């Protein structure tokens, strides 16, 4: 077994929390049950990784298998990477897409390799029709560096791809081209949507989060039990009606279920500064540029709890509440033009 | 000496005295405040009782004077129950709708052979033109294409075709899931599929107690509104005996006619011994 492969496997195992190593190796599926039994998972991680490398040596692991271990790791911990969302289009073609996985893999590899020979490309498919692609980049003159990897997650027959580039932005055009060709689309552009939480990005773009639709649907409504105040007799809610209204409006806007997880939203303002003309703050009639960025461990949940906590009026500004629906967290706000009565948020 | 000691004792006595008076003062204040709280509570309860009495009085006047209102109430309740059950029926037929502030919200409920599956929602705006506002239709269903053709001109047809697409999709997905779940021992690994479940490829063996999978099946579902394949190719190794080739042809025909999991179900009874 190659020295570099052994080292790569060792380092990948070291990244995994000790309690998860056995499960991860099982998911990887390269080592047999007997081999896994032979490893003591209660020793130090250093020793565990050495034992794992030993077993891989017995099975003559190549870079292919090591790459699959890396995919398994990243699939279990996708939130360690920053993901951008890309959208593809094809014009006119109304033919049905019979997505053939073998075909896709062949085309992707061929297209990427035709531009750059020194790449390691690995694929793994998961149950929800998600195809994980791992690319390790080299240069025209050097072998692929297994520590410089990019990931692509693509769901068949959808126009969306999730890319975690990490390194070497110059390789992005190659990646985009390979994706477009392999998936039978015509072009690809980046959406204004970025987050660490891959699942939430998928939820937003595939509309899997709970939107609130008005129906007569006889689903049993989960009555949100407003827990009675523990002080009981001594505290009385005098503004029950207002609280109820806020709760109702909030529910209409955000729905009942958990919100997709985003860490930030960025608003670039290019609007005129509205000041008292007497103050003459700005002589020139130029838009005042500034940027507002909201940070949170879970932005949408915190927005959802603003009104009930009394920190904001309900309903919230549509600029904030449109985030999951428009599937974006980067906005440019320009002046409302007189002739456009609709949304003033630029696409 | 002694005087210093005496002074210390005096100072201590004074301190203790001060503390005592302070504590007594606090106690008094607390008692006063508690009494005040009781007073206020009593006042509040009295006022509350008065308000309730007034409200009740107003109600009583209305109700007591018209016994006919009771039966009117009962009729109204009956009507509400009837409407609710009608709506339930509509929901069970697969397409139901509700007028919203700016348009209509449709719910398409899907089912496959008696099993209710997912529900999908479409929020349509009606002014100035009919257009889709929000929806929960999966992104791989060709919604834009169907909308472009029918949404403006024939809403009924639009909904019907969309419903066909969705029902067929969940039907195909259901068959693939059932196959994977109940016949995983007859399939090599996991079968290759895609989001729309319109192409399935797998190696299989009709009998479950075998370790080889001599047949390769490729099912293509050319009609997105149909849950049966339009094209089936079942092949085996070129060197295989003729009997196998015959079986392959028979299976090819079977998969075209029968739902996938039902076809596999029928293998068990036929007892094909393929090793």
């Amino acid at each position: 077994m190659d020295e570099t492969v052994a080292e790569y496997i060792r380092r990948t195992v070291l990244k995994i929390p000790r309690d998860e190593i056995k499960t991860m190796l099982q998911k990887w599926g390269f080592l047999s049950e007997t081999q896994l039994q032979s490893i003591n998972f209660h020793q130090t991680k250093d020793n565990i990784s050495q034992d794992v490398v030993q077993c891989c040596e017995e099975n003559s692991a190549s870079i292919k298998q090591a790459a699959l271990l890396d995919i398994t790791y990243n699939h279990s911990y996708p939130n360690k990477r920053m993901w951008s969302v890309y959208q593809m289009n094809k014009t006119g073609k109304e033919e049905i897409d019979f997505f053939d996985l073998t075909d896709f893999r062949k085309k992707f590899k061929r297209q990427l390799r035709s531009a750059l020979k020194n790449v390691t490309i690995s694929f793994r498919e998961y149950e929800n029709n998600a195809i994980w692609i791992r690319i390790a980049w080299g240069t025209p003159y050097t072998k692929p560096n297994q520590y410089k990897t990019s990931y692509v997650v693509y769901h068949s027959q959808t126009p969306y791809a999730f890319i975690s580039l990490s390194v070497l932005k110059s390789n992005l055009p190659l990646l985009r081209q390979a994706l477009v060709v392999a998936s039978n689309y015509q072009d690809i552009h980046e959406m204004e949507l970025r987050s660490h939480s891959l699942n939430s990005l998928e939820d937003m773009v595939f509309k899997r989060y709970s939107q609130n639709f008005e129906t007569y649907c006889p689903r049993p409504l989960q009555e949100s039990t407003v827990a009675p105040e523990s002080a009981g007799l001594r505290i009385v809610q005098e503004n029950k009606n207002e609280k109820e209204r806020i709760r109702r409006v909030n529910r209409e806007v955000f729905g009942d279920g958990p919100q997709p997880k985003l860490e930030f939203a960025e608003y670039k303002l290019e609007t005129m500064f509205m000041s008292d003309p007497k103050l003459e703050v700005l002589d020139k009639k130029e838009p005042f540029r500034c940027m507002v960025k909201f940070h949170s461990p879970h932005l949408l949940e915190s927005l959802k709890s603003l009104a009930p906590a009394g920190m904001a009026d309900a309903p919230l500004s549509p600029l904030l509440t449109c985030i999951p629906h428009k599937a974006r967290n980067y906005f440019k706000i320009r002046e409302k033009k007189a002739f456009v009565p609709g949304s003033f948020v630029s696409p | 000496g002694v005087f210093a000691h005496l002074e210390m004792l005096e100072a201590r006595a004074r301190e203790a005295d001060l503390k005592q008076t302070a504590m007594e003062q606090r106690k008094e204040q607390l008692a006063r405040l508690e009494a005040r709280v009781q007073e206020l509570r009593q006042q509040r309860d009295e006022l509350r009782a008065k308000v309730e009495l007034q409200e009740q009085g107003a109600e009583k006047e209305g109700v007591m004077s018209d016994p006919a209102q009771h039966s009117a109430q009962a009729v109204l309740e009956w009507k509400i129950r009837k409407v609710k059950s009608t709506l339930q029926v509509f929901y069970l037929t697969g397409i139901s709708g509700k007028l919203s502030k700016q348009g209509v919200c449709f719910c398409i409920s899907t089912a496959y052979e008696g099993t209710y599956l997912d529900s999908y929602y479409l929020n349509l705006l009606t002014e100035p033109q009919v257009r889709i506002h929000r929806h929960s239709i999966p992104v791989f269903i060709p919604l834009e294409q169907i909308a472009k053709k029918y949404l403006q001109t024939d809403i009924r047809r639009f909904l019907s075709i969309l419903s066909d697409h969705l029902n067929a999709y969940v039907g195909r997905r259901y068959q693939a899931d059932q196959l994977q779940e109940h016949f995983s021992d007859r399939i090599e690994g996991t079968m290759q599929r895609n989001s729309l479940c319109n192409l399935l490829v797998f190696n299989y063996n009709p009998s479950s107690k075998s370790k080889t999978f001599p047949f390769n099946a490729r099912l293509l579902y050319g009609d997105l509104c149909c849950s049966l394949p339009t094209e089936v190719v079942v092949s085996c190794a070129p060197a295989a005996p003729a009997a196998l080739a015959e079986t392959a042809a028979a299976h090819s025909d079977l998969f075209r006619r029968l739902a996938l999991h039902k076809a596999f179900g029928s293998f068990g009874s036929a007892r094909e011994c393929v090793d």
Side-chain angles (χ1 to χ4, degrees):
Chain A
M1 189 166 77
D2 201 324
E3 271 287 312
T4 47
V5 173
E7 181 59 15
Y8 185 70
I9 294 178
R10 194 185 70 84
R11 288 210 205 174
T12 311
V13 173
L14 284 176
K15 283 199 285 191
I16 311 170
R18 196 170 66 152
D19 298 329
E20 305 289 317
I21 297 181
K22 184 163 188 196
T23 336
M24 193 77 66
L25 293 175
Q26 282 167 332
K27 283 190 199 161
W28 182 32
F30 178 62
L31 300 179
S32 68
E33 259 310 307
T34 20
Q35 281 176 311
L36 289 175
Q37 302 284 8
S38 72
I39 303 175
N40 174 11
F41 290 101
H42 295 292
Q43 43 182 345
T44 61
K45 279 220 287 198
D46 257 333
N47 292 341
I48 299 177
S49 62
Q50 297 287 8
D51 287 352
V52 172
V53 170
Q54 186 74 20
C55 292
C56 293
E57 183 83 53
E58 290 165 23
N59 294 5
S60 316
S62 70
I63 196 58
K64 262 183 136 188
Q65 282 83 31
L68 286 177
L69 178 62
D70 191 35
I71 296 186
T72 314
Y73 171 76
N74 278 285
H75 180 256
S76 302
Y77 301 103
N79 299 350
K80 291 202 188 281
R81 300 181 84 102
M82 178 63 122
W83 299 90
S84 308
V85 189
Y86 286 76
Q87 188 173 12
M88 301 188 276
N89 337 1
K90 49 179 155 191
T91 49
K93 296 186 195 166
E94 286 206 3
E95 49 193 51
I96 303 175
D97 179 18
F98 299 100
F99 183 88
D100 188 335
L101 191 60
T102 343
D103 208 36
F104 174 80
R105 289 161 81 145
K106 244 194 275 179
K107 280 194 191 158
F108 186 89
K109 281 196 207 166
R110 192 171 52 203
Q111 183 68 29
L112 195 55
R113 290 226 168 95
S114 71
L116 178 61
K117 280 208 172 43
N118 291 324
V119 281
T120 315
I121 309 174
S122 323
F123 297 85
R124 195 156 211 185
E125 295 79 45
Y126 289 91
E127 285 90 40
N128 56 349
N129 296 304
I131 305 163
W132 279 63
I133 313 173
R134 173 188 180 274
I135 303 120
W137 302 98
T139 69
Y141 314 105
T142 60
K143 280 200 325 178
N145 182 342
Q146 298 304 324
Y147 300 92
K148 291 207 197 298
T149 54
S150 302
Y151 273 85
V152 179
V153 177
Y154 179 63
H155 292 248
S156 53
Q157 293 157 326
T158 67
Y160 299 104
F162 306 90
I163 301 183
S164 171
L165 197 59
S166 306
V167 295
L168 297 172
K169 299 228 168 8
S170 54
N171 289 322
L172 185 57
L174 304 176
L175 191 52
R176 289 159 53 138
Q177 183 67 9
L179 205 52
V180 163
V181 167
S183 56
N184 288 319
Y185 279 86
Q186 282 175 342
D187 57 60
I188 180 172
H189 68 271
E190 187 173 358
M191 290 173 70
E192 306 279 2
L193 185 60
R194 245 159 264 146
S195 175
H196 279 283
S197 171
L198 176 63
N199 285 338
S200 295
L201 291 176
E202 289 175 345
D203 283 347
M204 275 197 284
V205 145
F206 298 138
K207 305 208 186 289
R208 297 194 299 221
Y209 63 98
S210 69
Q211 305 179 68
N212 207 27
F213 289 102
E214 296 179 48
T215 56
Y216 293 119
C217 188
R219 263 173 314 166
L221 279 173
Q222 287 150 318
E223 285 301 324
S224 66
T225 46
V226 183
E229 296 289 335
S230 53
L233 299 165
R234 290 152 66 158
I235 300 179
V236 173
Q237 292 290 351
E238 287 304 327
N239 57 347
K240 242 189 253 182
N241 289 338
E242 180 58 15
K243 270 204 156 189
E244 192 45 47
R245 184 194 74 90
I246 291 176
R247 198 178 70 83
R248 194 176 30 88
V249 165
N250 225 33
R251 195 182 187 191
E252 271 173 34
V253 169
F254 288 99
D256 285 323
Q259 300 295 310
K261 194 168 184 195
L262 287 175
E263 298 98 44
F264 59 86
E266 188 183 286
Y267 297 83
K268 278 208 173 110
L269 299 165
E270 288 174 11
T271 48
M272 306 300 279
F273 188 72
M274 310 283 221
S275 71
D276 191 343
K278 281 185 252 168
L279 287 176
E280 287 178 19
V281 173
L282 284 179
D283 292 334
K284 311 176 218 163
K285 280 284 160 191
E286 245 182 32
F288 189 78
R289 289 162 212 272
C290 79
M291 180 168 87
V292 179
K293 198 164 182 179
F294 294 91
H295 277 281
S296 168
H298 198 322
L299 183 66
L300 294 175
E301 279 294 337
S302 55
L303 288 177
K304 184 175 174 181
S305 46
L306 275 180
M311 293 193 213
D313 289 331
L316 288 175
S317 160
L319 279 172
L320 294 170
T321 56
C322 73
I323 292 173
H325 173 48
K326 290 212 161 153
R328 60 189 302 171
N329 57 355
Y330 286 82
F331 294 85
K332 268 210 183 78
I333 306 174
R334 299 209 181 92
E335 277 298 319
K336 229 188 244 205
K337 297 214 171 71
F339 304 107
V340 181
S343 160
F344 55 90
V345 177
S346 78
Chain B
V2 175
F3 277 122
H5 193 66
L6 210 61
E7 271 181 33
M8 194 189 63
L9 286 173
E10 273 185 3
R12 258 203 229 161
R14 248 180 284 134
E15 268 182 49
D17 196 30
L18 281 174
K19 270 200 196 150
Q20 179 99 357
T21 32
M23 204 164 65
E24 279 171 10
Q25 275 181 351
R26 273 203 298 272
K27 268 197 197 156
E28 277 175 40
Q29 200 183 29
L30 195 61
R32 258 183 282 135
L33 287 173
E34 271 184 9
R36 181 84 179 118
V37 167
Q38 289 287 58
E39 237 180 275
L40 288 171
R41 270 205 200 134
Q42 210 178 9
Q43 246 187 343
R44 178 199 68 186
D45 290 340
E46 280 173 14
L47 284 169
R48 258 205 202 144
K50 263 196 197 168
V51 170
E52 271 184 43
L53 213 63
Q54 269 187 354
E55 285 180 355
Q56 269 182 17
E59 270 181 27
K60 273 193 184 141
E61 280 168 21
V63 172
M64 292 289 257
S65 61
D66 192 356
Q69 275 211 2
H70 278 286
S71 54
Q73 176 104 346
V75 168
L76 186 62
E77 280 173 11
W78 178 86
K79 277 191 180 166
I80 291 175
R81 271 201 305 274
K82 182 144 194 300
V83 167
K84 275 195 179 158
S85 47
T86 315
L87 289 170
Q88 175 89 352
V89 170
F90 276 124
Y91 166 66
L92 291 173
T93 59
I95 306 181
S96 57
K98 180 183 184 213
L99 288 175
S100 66
K101 283 171 267 178
Q102 299 147 309
V104 195
C105 183
F106 287 102
C107 170
I108 299 179
S109 318
T110 59
Y112 180 72
E113 298 202 344
T115 314
Y116 272 94
L117 298 164
D118 301 330
S119 292
Y120 301 99
Y121 300 90
L122 259 179
N123 218 327
L124 295 181
L125 298 173
T126 43
E127 300 298 325
Q129 287 175 316
V130 183
R131 59 189 200 281
I132 301 175
H133 179 47
R134 286 199 190 192
H135 65 87
S136 67
I137 313 282
V139 73
F140 40 80
I141 301 282
L143 179 63
E144 293 83 36
Q145 276 177 33
I146 306 172
K148 220 198 284 187
K149 274 202 195 138
Y150 302 108
L151 185 61
Q152 302 291 332
T153 50
D154 190 346
I155 283 194
R156 274 221 181 109
R157 193 131 178 242
F158 164 75
L159 287 172
S160 156
I161 292 183
L162 184 60
S163 172
D164 288 345
H165 272 86
L166 289 169
N167 274 286
Y169 155 66
V170 298
R172 294 192 298 268
R173 191 187 64 190
Y174 182 78
Q175 291 174 61
D177 289 343
Q178 289 291 300
L179 189 66
Q180 194 68 60
E181 198 184 313
H182 297 292
F183 300 99
S184 52
D185 53 345
R186 304 189 203 189
I187 298 181
E188 186 173 24
T190 45
M191 70 176 141
Q192 178 192 316
R193 52 201 273 187
N194 56 29
S195 299
L196 266 172
C197 290
N198 64 354
L199 176 63
L200 300 176
V201 184
F202 52 90
N203 295 330
Y204 72 99
N205 189 324
S207 71
S208 54
K209 310 286 196 320
S210 174
K211 291 210 175 127
T212 61
F213 304 94
F215 295 108
N216 172 277
R218 190 186 164 87
L219 282 72
L220 197 100
Y221 297 77
D223 183 358
L224 285 183
C225 293
C226 190
S227 58
L228 282 176
T230 50
E231 206 181 291
V232 178
V233 177
V234 180
S235 54
C236 40
L244 231 60
E246 273 178 31
T247 320
H251 285 181
S252 178
D253 185 59
L254 186 69
F255 291 148
R256 234 182 301 242
R257 290 183 291 111
L258 212 57
L260 199 53
H261 57 299
K262 296 230 169 95
F264 267 73
S266 72
F267 289 156
S269 49
R271 294 220 292 129
E272 313 251 343
C273 298
V274 189
D275 249 299

